[in-house]
Amino acid sequence: MMKEYLSSKFERALKSLGFNSGVSPTFEKPRLPEHGDLTTNVAMVLGQKLRKNPRELASAIVGALNVEKELVQKVEIAGPGFINFRFTNRFYLYELASVLEKGASFGRSNEGKGVKTQVEFVSANPTGPLTVGHGRNGVFGDTVANLLDWTGHDVTREYYFNNAGRQMRILGDSVRLRYLEYLGEQVTFPDDYYQGDYIREIAKRLYEEYGDGLRDEDPEGIFKERAEAEIFADIKQTCARLGIHFDVFFNENSLYETGKVEEVIAELRERGYAYDAEGAVWFKATLFGSDRDKVIVKSSGEPTYRLPDIAYHREKFRRGFQLIVDIFGAEHMATYPDVIAGLKALGYDTDGIKVLIHQFVTLVRDGEVVKMSTRRATFVTLDELINEVGPDAVRYFFLMRSIGSHLNFDLNLAKKQSEENPVYYLQYAHARIASILRFAEESSKEFGYELGDIASSRPSVEQLLLLKEPEEIELIKEVVDFPDVVKSCALTFEPHRLCDYLQGVATAFHRFYHNHRVISHDEMLTRARLALSMATQTVLANGFRILGISAPERM
């Protein structure tokens, strides 16, 4: 890859010039094509550090670079000291050949170097079906895990099974009251209990199985246990419909059963960060930047969310995770800092924790907000959304915008079978290439080549030099950028940038296809253009694999 190539050249050049300042160059694609293919501001960074003129430093660095002219066409100094590079077509053709050679592994790297990584996502309480908001969390978390896996991290996908506390008692009692209704009793159903039809369905199944045998049963017995089991099975099934699977389901109750929660309280007391007041146990959060201390055990003796979450994250460190990625909804914005503070109080370095917050989702149909489900209380379930638009559209629409922005999910657009629909547009590019390759297979004898030879023999750069039209070069430049895009998206935890990139690849391919005939009686040119088409399909398919969407052969 060119960035690695230039990095090594810069390292030698800076060393030869005696600049042992620890400054490493970073390379970015310029916003304007006329500024070249890559640019670096290393001379400006170095100039500020050494208090020297950046343009003079840039000139000295360029003079010492010693880059191969076969790969680098031009090196220019621009503005206050940017160093811009323009590469030769031959370089891009080398990279194109690499796409065909690596195939399904193209884009993978060892950037993460086996870093033991945990990604916690979804982690919805087992008190009801997954909602659309949970869907955004799940799809984003799964894709971040994919990106980290593609960059060499040792990834564990984890679901925190939060099945303790008041919410679970309310769940059990909600089912009990609906069960009593099936027995013909008049009950008062509190407004803050779980209202959805799924509660009635669980209660009905219990009634059908036990009759009136559970009339005097405690709500925290079979009512809670059955509700928890059925709801969690439903949650796992919904996740599976989107291709989301977990390596670990961590049970919150285990933190209490094994004494881990009490250990945290004891250690905070021992370190002087916990105290008793007003019948409660308090954490000295003000010592870690908070505007007030926080209750970790209420006067009733029940822990607040902070305490088990601190204990859970301590277990993450104890299990050896070096990178911990937590994906939360916007409702956690003001609360997760208390958990981070608690970990600091316990003596942990929290720099390895990355908290990613996603904003809310609004469903829109015909320009109007979809406010509620016809079946389930006051929310739209994720299953209902999947049923309406399909798993590919659900995943892609959740991913195509930054999680920092509110998402308006346009149901009409998601169902359109046209190029207006961004996921359809992408998948159509893949299917179109598959169609070209099928035609090539059928026509190979007429045009004098074997399709299998093109991929297996990995066309030489000399053969690929036939690709010289502007649309061909533009497409090649897009395709070979895939590994850098994957690395960048993994580093920044921004899958939406991969969506943007793949849209660019699809657009470049459609432009190439509309302007040039892929299969013709010019055998060598046909081979070259089929190789380009295959490389494009490879990048699209690999990108789809990361995003978790299908790569159709026909549409």
Side-chain angles (χ1 to χ4, degrees), residues 231-337:
I231 291 170
F232 200 61
D234 183 61
I235 286 172
K236 289 195 281 189
Q237 185 177 28
T238 303
C239 286
R241 293 184 70 190
L242 290 174
I244 297 172
H245 302 278
F246 294 91
D247 302 306
V248 174
F249 290 95
F250 192 100
N251 192 315
E252 181 189 8
N253 255 341
S254 68
L255 296 170
Y256 294 94
E257 293 167 353
T258 57
K260 298 295 193 299
V261 170
E262 288 299 326
E263 283 180 18
V264 168
I265 298 173
E267 189 167 345
L268 288 174
R269 288 187 187 280
E270 183 181 339
R271 290 170 173 264
Y273 295 126
Y275 63 93
D276 299 313
E278 303 171 11
V281 182
W282 294 72
F283 167 54
K284 292 184 179 179
T286 49
L287 297 179
F288 298 90
S290 180
D291 58 349
R292 58 190 176 85
D293 290 345
K294 303 296 175 65
V295 174
I296 54 175
V297 181
K298 300 175 185 177
S299 56
S300 64
E302 183 172 353
T304 64
Y305 82 92
R306 300 173 183 87
L307 185 55
D309 278 11
I310 292 169
Y312 173 45
H313 279 75
R314 184 176 69 156
E315 293 310 300
K316 295 184 183 187
F317 280 111
R318 286 178 167 180
R319 288 157 62 196
F321 291 113
Q322 299 160 280
L323 175 62
I324 296 168
V325 183
D326 290 334
I327 298 165
F328 298 137
E331 68 275 11
H332 289 268
M333 181 72 77
T335 56
Y336 79 83

Side-chain angles (χ1 to χ4, degrees), residues 43-44 102 119 199 304 376 402 428 516:
M44 297 155 66
K102 294 179 180 177
V119 183
I199 297 294
T304 64
R376 312 253 191 174
S402 166
Y428 182 63
H516 303 287

Side-chain angles (χ1 to χ4, degrees), residues 86-240:
R86 187 176 301 280
F87 309 135
T88 64
N89 286 353
R90 180 173 283 269
F91 159 73
Y92 282 110
L93 296 174
Y94 279 127
E95 293 298 297
L96 183 64
S98 176
V99 181
L100 294 167
E101 181 179 356
K102 294 179 180 177
S105 66
F106 181 71
R108 288 192 175 274
S109 70
N110 196 34
E111 194 77 8
K113 299 174 184 175
V115 170
K116 190 172 182 182
T117 301
Q118 186 225 42
V119 183
E120 183 208 335
F121 57 108
V122 183
S123 295
N125 300 334
T127 54
L130 293 182
T131 66
V132 170
H134 295 133
R136 189 178 197 187
N137 183 306
V139 170
F140 178 79
D142 185 56
T143 308
V144 165
N146 289 342
L147 284 165
L148 293 170
D149 175 71
W150 271 68
T151 48
H153 294 76
D154 178 12
V155 180
T156 296
R157 300 156 190 261
E158 189 148 320
Y159 189 121
Y160 181 49
F161 187 45
N162 190 346
N163 61 340
R166 179 176 178 272
Q167 62 188 356
M168 299 304 293
R169 292 196 296 274
I170 289 177
L171 175 67
D173 208 29
S174 298
V175 175
R176 183 184 69 87
L177 291 178
R178 294 305 188 199
Y179 166 80
L180 292 176
E181 287 181 339
Y182 279 109
L183 296 183
E185 295 190 17
Q186 294 292 322
V187 301
T188 301
F189 202 88
D191 290 339
D192 63 344
Y193 273 34
Y194 294 101
Q195 305 287 331
D197 284 350
Y198 66 97
I199 297 294
R200 295 181 187 275
E201 292 164 5
I202 295 169
K204 182 180 180 182
R205 285 189 285 273
L206 285 170
Y207 169 70
E208 291 172 345
E209 185 175 347
Y210 291 96
D212 65 354
L214 303 178
R215 185 185 298 273
D216 299 320
E217 183 75 16
D218 187 284
E220 292 194 59
I222 192 171
F223 291 112
K224 181 178 81 71
E225 292 167 4
R226 179 65 66 86
E228 177 185 319
E230 289 196 15
I231 291 170
F232 200 61
D234 183 61
I235 286 172
K236 289 195 281 189
Q237 185 177 28
T238 303
C239 286

Side-chain angles (χ1 to χ4, degrees), residues 370-382:
V370 178
K371 291 186 178 179
M372 62 184 293
S373 163
T374 55
R375 289 187 66 247
R376 312 253 191 174
T378 56
F379 54 83
V380 178
T381 70
L382 183 54

